Amino acid sequence: MARPRKPLLSRDRIVTAALSLVDAEGLAAVSTRRLAAELGVSGPSLYNHFRTKDQILEAVADSVSAQVDLSMFDAVDGRDWRTALHDWAVSYRAALLAHPNIVPVLAQGPGRRPAGLRLADAVFGSMVDAGWPPAQATSIGALMRYFVTGSALGSFAGGFVDDETAYDPADYPHLGQAHLLADRQELIDERAFETGLRALLDGLTLQYEQVAALH
């Protein structure tokens, strides 16, 4: 009986294996040798698809960008610009939270990554179509990326230890309950994100009304 053939090596297989490795062990774990071992192939065979480790990480980052929902920016969708930005930010953050170890690569900007560029294009185009001047539409895209990326880089609540003796009231009179934050990490971080997002959108709405008044 013939032995089953191994799946052919492809860019998608390499990216999937690399993302799993990044998720499990971080960026430092990725190397062509390690990936080749994970895929059951020889190291040089990876070079038929990627010349360097950096190219692999760029592709991994772009695969995460491709998970972000952009449907709210479609002309036929019908959501107003504020609702579209809110829903996109929520989807964007969810994709990053699912793969937090790749966020430092994504934070460098889209570069030449196709999915990342489609994301930037969709946000910018939607804001301009809604009546924002191009310069302000660019600033909105940058602002939202700063905010969402920052929210995914680390947990505020998770930055406190759960030892109630760690925060002596004599030194930190307002942190008496800080040791409780770690146990409520998801709730606190989610609430902080929504609070910040709402504040950003409220501020942008005021600016939008000023822009509209000039036209």
Side-chain angles (χ1 to χ4, degrees):
M1 182 176 179
R3 289 184 296 179
R5 296 174 58 188
K6 292 182 179 179
L8 292 175
L9 190 62
S10 66
R11 286 179 64 92
D12 286 346
R13 280 194 68 211
I14 296 170
V15 169
T16 298
L19 180 57
S20 295
L21 198 53
V22 170
D23 285 345
E25 301 181 33
L27 294 171
V30 178
S31 69
T32 53
R33 178 178 295 181
R34 178 72 184 276
L35 278 174
E38 294 285 334
L39 292 163
V41 300
S42 63
S45 64
L46 296 180
Y47 297 121
N48 293 324
H49 302 277
F50 296 99
R51 292 194 301 273
T52 66
K53 168 186 169 179
D54 286 343
Q55 285 188 350
I56 295 173
L57 291 178
E58 286 286 302
V60 169
D62 210 40
S63 74
V64 173
S65 292
Q67 297 174 19
V68 181
D69 183 14
L70 299 177
S71 64
M72 66 285 297
F73 297 124
D74 292 342
V76 297
D77 182 83
R79 274 174 270 194
D80 61 84
W81 69 266
R82 176 181 172 129
T83 304
L85 270 186
H86 175 277
D87 295 349
W88 166 69
V90 170
S91 176
Y92 191 7
R93 179 171 178 262
L96 300 192
L97 289 181
H99 308 284
N101 291 336
I102 199 64
V103 173
V105 180
L106 284 164
Q108 297 170 11
R112 297 177 183 233
R113 301 182 213 125
L117 290 171
R118 283 193 293 272
L119 187 155
D121 182 74
V123 175
F124 176 80
S126 178
M127 294 305 101
V128 171
D129 289 345
W132 285 97
Q136 287 177 279
T138 298
S139 296
I140 290 170
L143 167 66
M144 298 301 289
R145 188 167 69 82
Y146 297 155
F147 176 66
V148 176
T149 302
S151 75
L153 279 173
S155 164
F156 171 80
F160 295 88
V161 299
D162 61 1
D163 179 1
E164 63 182 336
T165 66
Y167 308 109
D168 190 330
D171 296 321
Y172 316 106
H174 305 296
L175 296 182
Q177 301 297 306
H179 65 283
L180 301 175
L181 296 178
D183 284 340
R184 305 171 188 175
Q185 176 176 326
E186 184 175 348
L187 173 63
I188 292 170
D189 290 345
E190 186 69 28
R191 189 168 57 201
F193 175 75
E194 282 292 342
T195 298
L197 182 56
R198 186 166 57 251
L200 284 177
L201 294 174
D202 285 346
L204 288 175
T205 298
L206 291 175
Q207 291 186 38
Y208 185 76
E209 291 170 354
Q210 294 170 1
V211 168
L214 296 174
H215 294 81

